[in-house]
Amino acid sequence: MELIGIFKYLYEQLVATGIPQVWVDLISLVASAVIIFGVLALIALFLVWWERKLSADFQQRMGPMLTGWHGLIQTVADAIKLIQKEDITPTKADRPVFFWAPIICFVAAFAVYVTVPFGEGLIVSDLNIGILYIVAITTFTVISLLMAGWGSNNKYALLGGMRSAAQVVSYEVPMIVAILSVIVFVGSLSMVDIVESQALIYQWYIFRMPFGPIAFVIFIIAATAETNRTPFDLPEAEQELVAGFNIEYSGMKFAMFFLAEFINMFTVSAIGATLFLGGWQGPFLPSWVWFLVKTFGLVFVFMWFRWTYPRLRVDQLMEFSWKFLLPLAFANLILAGWMKYSGWFNW
Amino acid sequence: MFGVEVSQLFFYLLSFIIIVSAIYVVSLRNIFHCALFLVLCLFSVAGIYILLEAEFLAAVQVLIYVGAVSILMIFAIMLTSRLANKKIMQSNDNVTVAIFVCAGFLLTSLGSFGYTVWKVVDSPLPENNTLTIGKLLMTDYVLPFEVVSIVLLAAMIGAIVLARREKI
């Protein structure tokens, strides 16, 4: 069943009521924003539960079991608990900066979804700068982390925020170059064009030998670092920094950082699925199911990393990005450009 | 999608934000707040680009000025203990000289705006101007493009050499 049919029907019903076109556009915009917000909030709640269950599996524990079936509504209970908590602002905090940091982080995490294709036709707006828009908006996450680190007026928060920013800025470069090598092949920045260029399984960019798999591996490594997850979770290294940039946050503001973190993980998985795994392309099942299957598959890979690898040191982290990943990404970009130009592998 | 009135409303709103945040950037005592207002100012400029249907320019503006330049500035502020958490003055004694320089700059730019003949094209903008920009940069404007790259590279090498502790 294709979801787009339902939305098209609703849109036609809205037009049939005879209200001015401006209002129809406005209502459909607000409606799509509300739907995406609801779906993503649900996904984030599910991901928190899944992360806890997977970590329990990897460590041979049970994980949450009591609330609902296998603890399925444990996150809902946790969220209700967090809402009830007192919202504390430290006396010496930089109040406006402290207040705005979680909001910017949260909004940036959701704003990305304007150009994420959830299925065939299921996209809020197919901007012709699609992937560039996503990359641009995600930079606000770094600003929010720096604001949180500064605004808290706490040395651990400051160190965590600075580590996080240094890491994200360093790994953003190889990530963008890896994305660029796919863009060179597609010849368009639009997310829909990217998906439509990989209609058959051997056209998926992960299978375009030899540049595809290299770009995919660079993307996955850089994405793990971008989302501050193990083995790159230095910004929140518990032994050194207690909790990192969010140490002074409590209640709803903490929940906003926490949810944004999981939504960012879903975002990078969705981008990975769209760029390298054919997005919503696939046989038999509806397109949005394929999109979710591929995205959750990548989310599983990120969780797998987290509960398998130990953490890197700061100097190793920086050296790996600048001395290994970046030259490799550039060499790969040149290779992709040559392949596109020579036309040998353009099937 | 929306009429000219709405985009005009957005234009005035964005201009207001740009001007107010720009004034804050040069007048606030807390230099970290100044940097954040600079981010707001540059982001609103990207909004103006969107209104002009130059989406590629807008995305690049956010990516470079918000994502790289501002973050490096904030980073430098956080690493410099003398700047951090102190209410420092943003102005010095050379106010008179500054007024003359600024007035000169203002007059020059107003003059050049007045004398320039602005071309107005009646035909609608091409659907995908990213492609056009890319093609032009690699064909007609390849020399300036490469010269700018070399200047940037030279600046980068220069910064690294100056910041090195040991002499070469």
Side-chain angles (χ1 to χ4, degrees):
Chain A
M1 182 194 66
E2 286 291 352
L3 283 175
I4 188 68
I6 300 171
F7 291 121
K8 270 194 182 137
Y9 173 76
L10 287 175
Y11 184 78
E12 276 156 18
Q13 291 296 308
L14 200 61
V15 173
T17 53
I19 49 176
Q21 186 63 29
V22 178
W23 285 102
V24 172
D25 288 336
L26 210 60
I27 290 171
S28 47
L29 264 182
V30 172
S32 42
V34 169
I35 290 167
I36 283 187
F37 181 80
V39 169
L40 283 176
L42 269 181
I43 285 175
L45 286 179
F46 172 75
L47 287 182
V48 176
W49 173 79
W50 203 29
E51 174 106 65
R52 292 177 72 173
K53 280 310 234 192
L54 273 179
S55 73
D57 281 346
F58 278 96
Q59 297 165 352
Q60 307 212 328
R61 296 183 283 116
M62 299 287 273
M65 286 299 283
L66 293 176
T67 331
W69 181 82
H70 280 255
L72 193 56
I73 54 170
Q74 180 67 49
T75 352
V76 180
D78 286 346
I80 293 170
K81 184 198 79 176
L82 273 176
I83 293 169
Q84 290 172 335
K85 292 284 176 191
E86 186 187 352
D87 181 29
I88 301 167
T89 308
T91 332
K92 294 243 173 119
D94 192 333
R95 275 174 177 275
V97 178
F98 186 84
F99 176 79
W100 282 101
I103 295 174
I104 291 176
C105 189
F106 200 63
V107 171
F110 281 98
V112 166
Y113 282 86
V114 171
T115 61
V116 171
F118 286 91
E120 198 170 358
L122 275 181
I123 183 166
V124 178
S125 174
D126 179 26
L127 300 177
N128 59 34
I129 50 158
I131 185 75
L132 197 62
Y133 166 83
I134 293 179
V135 174
I137 290 294
T138 43
T139 57
F140 277 94
T141 313
V142 190
I143 300 235
S144 74
L145 298 188
L146 283 171
M147 283 169 77
W150 171 276
S152 303
N153 209 350
N154 174 311
K155 63 181 172 189
Y156 297 119
L158 189 68
L159 279 173
M162 280 183 25
R163 274 191 186 184
S164 173
Q167 176 177 327
V168 174
V169 169
S170 307
Y171 278 86
E172 206 167 38
V173 186
M175 187 175 176
I176 292 175
V177 176
I179 291 174
L180 210 57
S181 55
V182 171
I183 299 301
V184 163
F185 247 79
V186 185
S188 166
L189 294 165
S190 146
M191 295 295 263
V192 171
D193 288 352
I194 293 171
V195 175
E196 277 171 354
S197 69
Q198 0 182 20
L200 299 161
I201 190 160
Y202 61 85
Q203 288 178 323
W204 292 7
Y205 286 104
I206 188 176
F207 295 127
R208 302 262 182 136
M209 296 294 171
F211 91 96
I214 304 174
F216 182 68
V217 170
I218 293 171
F219 176 83
I220 288 289
I221 294 173
T224 319
E226 289 260 300
T227 46
N228 295 332
R229 294 177 65 81
T230 327
F232 305 105
D233 65 339
L234 291 129
E236 38 201 82
E238 291 88 352
Q239 298 90 328
E240 304 156 28
L241 295 175
V242 192
F245 63 88
N246 57 15
I247 184 168
E248 292 286 3
Y249 283 89
S250 61
M252 206 51 220
K253 286 183 191 147
F254 174 77
M256 281 164 100
F257 272 125
F258 198 65
L259 281 182
E261 201 173 291
F262 277 87
I263 286 168
N264 284 335
M265 181 171 62
F266 190 76
T267 310
V268 291
S269 306
I271 298 169
T274 308
L275 286 175
F276 295 99
L277 303 178
W280 40 259
Q281 305 270 14
F284 311 123
L285 292 170
S287 55
W288 56 276
V289 176
W290 275 112
F291 172 80
L292 287 182
V293 165
K294 287 166 184 174
T295 307
F296 276 110
L298 280 181
V299 169
F300 176 76
V301 171
F302 286 126
M303 290 184 176
W304 191 6
F305 284 170
R306 175 160 181 185
W307 300 103
T308 311
Y309 291 125
R311 183 179 300 136
L312 270 78
R313 285 201 320 264
V314 180
D315 57 325
Q316 291 171 331
L317 179 96
M318 288 298 166
E319 276 194 8
F320 182 65
S321 172
W322 292 105
K323 293 188 179 170
F324 177 73
L325 222 48
L326 188 60
L328 183 69
F330 272 122
N332 197 40
L333 178 64
I334 294 168
L335 182 69
W338 177 76
M339 278 169 65
K340 172 80 178 176
Y341 184 70
S342 67
W344 285 3
F345 299 90
N346 289 355
W347 48 68
Chain B
M1 179 162 59
F2 299 110
V4 184
E5 301 86 6
V6 181
S7 58
Q8 237 168 22
L9 187 75
F10 274 108
F11 173 77
Y12 286 122
L13 192 69
L14 284 169
S15 313
F16 178 74
I17 296 173
I18 289 170
I19 292 168
V20 170
S21 58
I23 290 170
Y24 273 134
V25 170
V26 291
S27 62
L28 282 181
R29 288 290 188 89
N30 186 331
I31 199 132
F32 189 80
H33 290 181
C34 296
L36 290 179
F37 275 110
L38 185 64
V39 171
L40 182 64
C41 181
L42 295 170
F43 185 58
S44 312
V45 172
I48 297 270
Y49 289 148
I50 295 270
L51 286 183
L52 295 171
E53 295 183 32
E55 293 99 347
F56 179 74
L57 209 56
V60 170
Q61 162 92 5
V62 173
L63 193 61
I64 307 238
Y65 285 100
V66 178
V69 175
S70 303
I71 286 177
L72 285 180
M73 274 184 185
I74 293 175
F75 220 68
I77 292 167
M78 285 168 105
L79 283 171
T80 318
S81 53
R82 203 170 62 84
L83 291 178
N85 246 347
K86 268 189 199 150
K87 309 231 176 287
I88 49 170
M89 285 292 285
Q90 280 223 38
S91 55
N92 54 18
D93 299 335
N94 297 332
V95 182
T96 359
V97 184
I99 284 174
F100 278 113
V101 172
C102 292
F105 182 73
L106 183 70
L107 285 177
T108 325
S109 36
L110 280 181
S112 57
F113 285 148
Y115 283 114
T116 312
V117 181
W118 302 98
K119 274 189 202 165
V120 179
V121 185
D122 282 332
S123 61
L125 284 168
E127 184 70 14
N128 197 344
N129 51 27
T130 315
L131 209 64
T132 325
I133 292 172
K135 281 210 173 115
L136 283 176
L137 278 181
M138 282 292 137
T139 51
D140 290 6
Y141 299 99
V142 71
L143 184 68
F145 183 67
E146 292 297 326
V147 169
V148 167
S149 314
I150 289 170
V151 169
L152 284 176
L153 184 67
M156 237 168 6
I157 295 171
I160 292 168
V161 169
L162 286 177
R164 262 171 78 106
R165 212 162 269 156
E166 63 265 37
K167 288 258 160 50
I168 304 168

